[in-house]
Structure formats: structure tokens, C-alpha cells
Amino acid sequence: MSSAKTASKLKTDLDNPQYYFNRELSWLEFNRRVLSEGLDERNLLLERLKFLAIFSSNLDEFFMVRVAGLKQQVEAGVSKLSFDGCNPAEQLQAIYEGLKPLVQLQDQHFQHQLKPLLAQEGIYIVDYLDLNREQRNYLHDFYQEHIFPVLTPLAVDPSHPFPHISNLSLNLAVVIKEPEDDRQERFARVKVPGNFARFVTLPEELCYYPDQEKAVWVGVPIEQVIAHNLDTLFPQMNIQECYAFRVTRNASLSVEEDEADDLMLAIEEQLHKRRFSGSVVRLEIHHSMPADVRQMLIKELELQEIDVYEVEGLMGLDSLFTFLGLPLKHLKDKPWSPTVPAWLDGTKSNRSTEDFEPDFFELIRQGDRLLHHPYHSFASTVQAFITQAAHDPDVLAIKMTLYRTSGDSPIIQALIAAAQNGKQVAVLVELKARFDEENNINWARTLEQKGVHVVYGLAGLKTHTKIVLVVRQEQKKIRRYIHVGTGNYNPKTARLYTDLGLLSCREDLAADLTELFNFLTGYSRQNTYRKLLVAPVTLRPRMVAMIEREIAHVKKGGSGRIVAKMNSLVDLEMIQTLYRASQAGVEIDLIIRGICCLRPGVEGLSENIRVTSIIGRFLEHSRIYYFQNGGSEEMYIGSADWMTRNLSRRVEAVTPVEDPKLIGDLNEILGIMLSDNRLAWQLQPDGRYLQKESHADGHSDNTHDILMQMALQESLD
């Protein structure tokens, strides 16, 4: 066969839809793995509740964004196929068929497995009717004093149109009759107020159940408290039945950035519309709801049966996060206290004191520093570095990007202090960070009012990169210090997400960051950088080139090796380049927490590719890219996944890690993950994920446990 025919055959093969997994169904498989942690008896009880809550929270966002987008495509008559060969309608049907069993599994497991286990520990989620008179009297009084004044019953009849139902709200569908005429049923809707806790907790003196047995916690779902006091809302009416339901709406923002005179105001307007105007994409109901009420809701909300999900127990199980606040240490993972890296100080005693303030600038001048959160303390490293820069009299300027941060962010306070200390402070606040838009708008206004130069992002691009630049006067020269990270500058999520960061004062990286900030804040068409890989300019072509370089090494008789850790792999060009590398003989290990559209282990296509997913107590969020490069290893960390949005529609920064010791540290981290047989799942050619088995002696290698032990040992050495 000629080379032209071979190339044509290869192209045809790589375009075959059967070589790809559907993005949406791959995400469902990810959430199945999350749910599996809630089912896993090896996990402590309240941790299992946490994973069920995460499963529900993930699903809410999935419907608000991904399912909503597919429904919009169907309504617009879009027939374009995904690269796995499905049109939008087919994808919606596949989501429905794949998700219904998972929702039922979660519901049944909570009702029949976890609730009894909670009861064994003295934690009772009780039905209102199972309470004794004294407990009911307390709840009735609580209802009258706190809940009743807030409620607004809304009738539905020819003079009262069907009310608007807000996103993610829990509601009661109430069927009532006139006492004089019980032939005609009337319908009303009562919204469960969202500013109350989901469970009404009984006070300590009434905290017993059943048979006067003292309990740790007793609570009743708030919707039941309302349901059993409906006579106060509909006096002198016959209440026939009452059923809970929950609605999910399209929450995508649609902002014409090129036409908006004020991007902040445009986004604020869209936030209001998202809360009240997005089309309904999911209806959750109790399985006992009769057909006539069900059909009325489907009709009024303009849905189809495919959009309805039934549960036997509680809706909105994201409320299970509540129970992590109970003081029951034996039911939760042992708390982890992030450590201070040994390089911050040479003596153990100083590292353990809260008032110890290392000289970050001196330490960074000694060499590049690698941070690994949450094993390393974010507060004692990144946060402390920015705070020190804000108060250092020799610092002239601080520039950084903010994608997501906490509501009480010490970093925001440090930036304000820097501006008040006379330093030039420029911050790019990404207003389009999904579901953090309102928080970011508030922070942007606060920063502006305090004298910080605030930029809102770039039209058509979402700024996702995590970078800091500090400019400092040192004797007769200017020196620049940088931080390039994989995660947000958020001290709260830094305790829950695994992320990496590089602190450096290397001139080439500092010059690159200076030019990148000029691109972000001014007018620049910078398209080349010395070291940084920057999307949407150089990141994609450089990543493709490095994969092709591994292919070239193999073709010359050497070996090729790639290890890539990321959140998701979706981009078609990257997948096809990996396929070509596998066909050439390059050994490839992918560590992908979430979506993976690549099909591994297919003979003649991807038999040299292995895909591992790590799901555990910390959310794997770091991105690491390793290329063997014929023995001259190259390692990169940064904010970008191999998704089309990251490579083409976002501003991202990926930095090389060139210090041999730090490369060794990153290789060790990757090796630990690839050896994991407790948290690791392996993707099969048919799309299923199978958990790795423990060793014959029952020993398991848990990535998070091992890395915590290593960080603790490092801090003690």
C-alpha cells in the first residue's frame, strides 16, 4: 500500500465514531464513581453521606449546563453529530437511560442502607408522623413562629396562572377541595423557603427516638413540617394530598460581550434572568405523586416524561452535607492539617509557630519551589507570599488573576493592603467563572473601591490561568517573582482540592508572565513566549509537537513515554494525536479524574494507552504533563486540561518545571497515583471503569494517605 493510501486509511480509522466515548456519558461514568464512594463500606459513614451529597450537587450542575445545552440544540433543530456519532436528541435519550438507574440506586441506598446505619449511631432523620406529641408540639410552635410568616401559598386556577418556580427550589404540590363542594379539586403550590436549613432539628431535651432512647441528633425534613401544618395556609379547606417536587432550570449565561458597553452590568442582568427565566430542564417528584398531578406539572413546566425523575425518599440529597458538621469524629476521616514545607525554614520549632514569617524572596532566589496542596499549607505558602509582598517596602507592583476565591479571602485583603501601601496592584477578575459570577462581581467592586486596578477579562475568552507576578526593587535592579498554579487562589478549596504551584524568580518565566499580563490588561497580540505555554496561542501546538516528538523517538529506534494528569480529556485533535502515538509504540499513561472521550486498550489503535481515575477524600485537580523526550525529561504543570475550551477558548498558562529535584518530586507523585489500588479506577475499552484490586495480603496503596504521610514526614525531618 502506498504511503498516501496508508495515510488516508489512518485518517479514516481515526474518524470512526466507535473510537470515542460520548462526553456526556463519560461524565455520567465519573459521577457513578463518585456515587460508588458513597456505597463503599470501607468508607466511614459520614464520608459516604458526603459522596452522595457530591453526586447530587454534581447532577444539579450537569442538568443546569450540559443537559440544558443539549435541549437548546434540539429546540433549535441542530442535527450536528458529536465525534462519537450522536445527535443532541440521541444524547438526551442516552443520558436519561443511563441516569435513571443511578438516581434510583442513590435513593434506595440512602433510604435502606445509610439511614439505618445513621440510626445505629443515634442520628435520626425522622418522618413527622413518627414523632411523639411533645416533639410535634415543638415543631408546630417552631413552624408558627419561624416558617409560617415566610410562606406564600399560590393558587392555580383561571384567575391565578401557574406560578414561576425558581431554580433548584423545593416545592409542595397541594390538592385541596372546598368543604361545601368536594367534587372539584383545586391545586396550589407552596415553595419551601430556601433560607432555612433543610432539616428542623429538635432541641436537646427532645432529642430522643424511639421509645425515649437518647439520641445524638433528631431532625425532620422541613417540607414535612410544612406539609403537616398546611391547615394554617388553607384554613377551612379540605386538604386532600400533598407532594414534594423540585425543579432544575437552564443556568447558562448568554452575554453578547462585543455588544456590551459594561460587561459587569451585562452579566448582572443575565444572573437575574438565570435565577428566574431559564427554561426548566428537570422535574424531580416523589414516586407516590398521582398521574394527574404529575401530568399537570409536566404540562405547565413544558416538559416531557424523559425529564421526570422519581425518588422514594428525600429530594435534593446535596443537603446531606449538613451531617458533616456533627461532632462525631469516629464517623469521619481524620482531619488533615496541611504542613509547612521544610524549605520554608531549617528548624522544626520555628515551622510550628503561627507567628513565623519566612523571607519568601530570599528562599525563592535560592531556587524554584514546588508546592503541593492540600499536603502543603496554602495559607503558609501562597497566601503568605502574597501577604508578605503586600507589606514589603521594596515591592513595587503585584499582578494576579482571580478565577474563584472564598467569601472571606485573605488574599483579597492583602491586595487591598498593597494598594493602600502605595503599590501598583492589577487584578484580572474573571466575571464569567460559572456560578461564581456574583461573588466575583462583588470582589471586583470592592477591589476597585480600594484603589486596585481591576480588569474583567477578555471578550470571547475566559481567563482561567492561575498566575501571580510580584515586581521588587532589589539594590540597583528590578527582580520579578512569580507563582504559576493549577488551582484557584481560594484558601477554602485549597484544603479540599489537590493542586500544584511553582514559585520562581527565573528571568525567562518572569518575562513571559509580564508579557502575558500585558496581553490580559492592555492591547497586545503576543503570540510567542520563551518558556510558558499559553492558550489560546502556543499551548495546543506545543503539546501536539511534544507528543509527536515521542513518536519520532520511537521511529528512530528509541522509546517513547507520556504521562499526563488532568481533569478531563475531550479535545479531538489531542485524542487523535495520542492514538497516533500509541500506534507508533509510545507508552502512555493518562490520569484523568473526570471525562475521558478516548477509548483505551483497542488493538491497533490504543493498546499502549492506559487511563486511570483517582476518586477519594481530596478532589484531584492538578494538571501534570510528562514527556520522556529520549531521556531529556520534560515536565509541565498548569491550569489547562486537554479540552477544546481550555486549548482554544480560554487564557491558560502551563509552565515547565526544570529543576531536576522538582521533576523527581513530580515523577514520584505520578508514580504513586499509577500504583494506587484503593482510589484508582481503570477505564476499560467498553467504557466501564473497574476498581483496581488490593494486594493478595489485603494491603492497599491509597494515593492521598501516602502523600499525607510524605508531607508529614517532610515537615518533621
Side-chain angles (χ1 to χ4, degrees), residues 429-476:
V429 180
E430 180 48 76
L431 300 184
K432 295 167 287 186
R434 183 178 293 137
F435 302 124
D436 269 317
E437 300 96 341
E438 190 168 358
N439 184 51
N440 286 3
I441 286 173
N442 292 335
W443 278 128
R445 286 206 171 107
T446 299
L447 288 167
E448 284 183 319
Q449 291 167 2
K450 299 296 184 178
V452 174
H453 301 293
V454 178
V455 179
Y456 301 148
L458 301 173
L461 294 173
K462 187 178 285 188
T463 303
H464 188 249
T465 182
K466 289 74 164 102
I467 51 176
V468 176
L469 174 68
V470 175
V471 183
R472 191 170 188 260
Q473 180 75 50
E474 296 182 354
Q475 297 177 347
K476 295 183 178 181

Side-chain angles (χ1 to χ4, degrees), residues 325-610:
L326 293 176
L328 301 171
K329 294 181 179 179
H330 66 291
L331 299 181
K332 294 184 280 189
D333 288 338
K334 183 179 178 181
W336 168 246
S337 297
T339 66
V340 178
W343 57 263
L344 272 179
D345 182 57
T347 62
K348 181 177 72 174
S349 58
N350 278 352
R351 288 203 305 276
S352 64
T353 60
E354 293 184 2
D355 58 352
F356 169 63
E357 293 186 7
D359 184 341
F360 279 94
F361 303 111
E362 178 184 350
L363 291 167
I364 295 170
R365 286 195 299 271
Q366 294 172 9
D368 289 356
R369 305 296 183 177
L370 184 69
L371 304 172
H372 194 192
H373 312 296
Y375 312 106
H376 292 151
S377 167
F378 180 86
S380 300
T381 55
V382 178
Q383 182 177 307
F385 167 64
I386 295 171
T387 301
Q388 186 173 107
H391 296 279
D392 187 305
D394 294 326
V395 168
L396 305 176
I398 301 174
K399 302 180 182 183
M400 74 178 299
T401 57
L402 282 178
Y403 191 73
R404 303 184 197 275
T405 191
S406 59
D408 55 350
S409 173
I411 287 178
I412 296 287
Q413 300 308 319
L415 294 171
I416 292 172
Q420 292 174 339
N421 289 337
K423 306 180 192 309
Q424 291 293 312
V425 183
V427 179
L428 188 144
V429 180
E430 180 48 76
L431 300 184
K432 295 167 287 186
R434 183 178 293 137
F435 302 124
D436 269 317
E437 300 96 341
E438 190 168 358
N439 184 51
N440 286 3
I441 286 173
N442 292 335
W443 278 128
R445 286 206 171 107
T446 299
L447 288 167
E448 284 183 319
Q449 291 167 2
K450 299 296 184 178
V452 174
H453 301 293
V454 178
V455 179
Y456 301 148
L458 301 173
L461 294 173
K462 187 178 285 188
T463 303
H464 188 249
T465 182
K466 289 74 164 102
I467 51 176
V468 176
L469 174 68
V470 175
V471 183
R472 191 170 188 260
Q473 180 75 50
E474 296 182 354
Q475 297 177 347
K476 295 183 178 181
K477 66 175 293 186
I478 296 287
R479 193 187 301 270
R480 293 171 289 189
Y481 296 82
I482 69 158
H483 175 267
V484 180
T486 68
N488 296 307
Y489 294 110
N490 186 325
K492 292 185 177 179
T493 58
R495 299 179 68 90
L496 304 172
Y497 293 12
T498 71
D499 273 303
L500 292 158
L502 182 72
L503 288 166
S504 177
C505 61
R506 283 166 36 203
E507 187 57 33
D508 47 10
L509 280 179
D512 278 349
L513 248 68
T514 299
E515 292 172 358
L516 179 54
F517 273 110
N518 289 341
F519 168 73
L520 293 172
T521 62
Y523 293 108
S524 168
R525 295 192 177 184
Q526 184 84 17
N527 57 18
T528 60
Y529 294 87
R530 301 158 187 81
K531 292 287 186 177
L532 278 185
L533 309 184
V534 176
V537 186
T538 63
L539 179 58
R540 177 192 292 276
R542 284 288 292 128
M543 285 291 180
V544 169
M546 286 187 284
I547 298 172
E548 291 177 338
R549 186 177 60 190
E550 296 300 314
I551 296 174
H553 283 302
V554 173
K555 289 183 175 180
K556 292 177 181 178
S559 62
R561 172 89 169 126
I562 298 169
V563 183
K565 178 183 183 294
M566 65 197 84
N567 293 339
S568 296
L569 171 58
V570 174
D571 186 77
L572 182 61
E573 181 181 13
M574 298 305 298
I575 294 173
Q576 292 186 341
T577 308
L578 290 170
Y579 281 158
R580 290 197 296 273
S582 175
Q583 290 172 327
V586 177
E587 293 294 329
I588 302 170
D589 277 292
L590 304 175
I591 304 170
I592 303 173
R593 184 194 79 230
I595 304 167
C596 179
C597 295
L598 176 147
R599 188 186 293 270
V602 177
E603 185 177 355
L605 177 78
S606 58
E607 67 265 44
N608 293 314
I609 304 177
R610 296 158 294 278

Side-chain angles (χ1 to χ4, degrees), residues 162-273:
F162 192 85
H164 178 85
I165 299 175
S166 55
N167 186 31
L168 300 181
S169 64
L170 188 60
N171 306 268
L172 296 178
V174 186
V175 179
I176 56 180
K177 290 183 179 180
E178 298 276 359
E180 299 84 5
D181 182 7
D182 63 357
R183 292 172 299 176
Q184 183 177 5
E185 290 185 337
R186 299 184 182 277
F187 176 83
R189 171 259 190 165
V190 178
K191 178 181 178 180
V192 177
N195 50 359
F196 284 87
R198 176 64 187 283
F199 302 99
V200 181
T201 304
L202 292 177
E204 185 176 357
E205 64 271 17
L206 297 177
C207 194
Y208 48 80
Y209 181 88
D211 301 327
Q212 304 298 311
E213 180 180 333
K214 190 64 177 175
V216 173
W217 182 93
V218 179
V220 180
I222 189 173
E223 63 268 29
Q224 288 196 24
V225 176
I226 296 171
H228 288 281
N229 288 278
L230 285 173
D231 58 318
T232 62
L233 293 172
F234 305 99
Q236 300 182 29
M237 301 292 288
N238 292 334
I239 299 169
Q240 301 297 302
E241 47 198 3
C242 171
Y243 305 96
F245 68 96
R246 186 171 183 262
V247 159
T248 309
R249 291 184 174 274
N250 182 339
S252 297
L253 293 185
S254 177
V255 178
E256 297 296 333
E257 297 179 52
D258 294 334
E259 299 177 10
D261 294 326
D262 188 320
L263 180 59
M264 183 182 290
L265 289 176
I267 291 178
E268 283 185 310
E269 291 175 3
Q270 286 298 316
L271 285 174
H272 180 79
K273 291 180 180 179

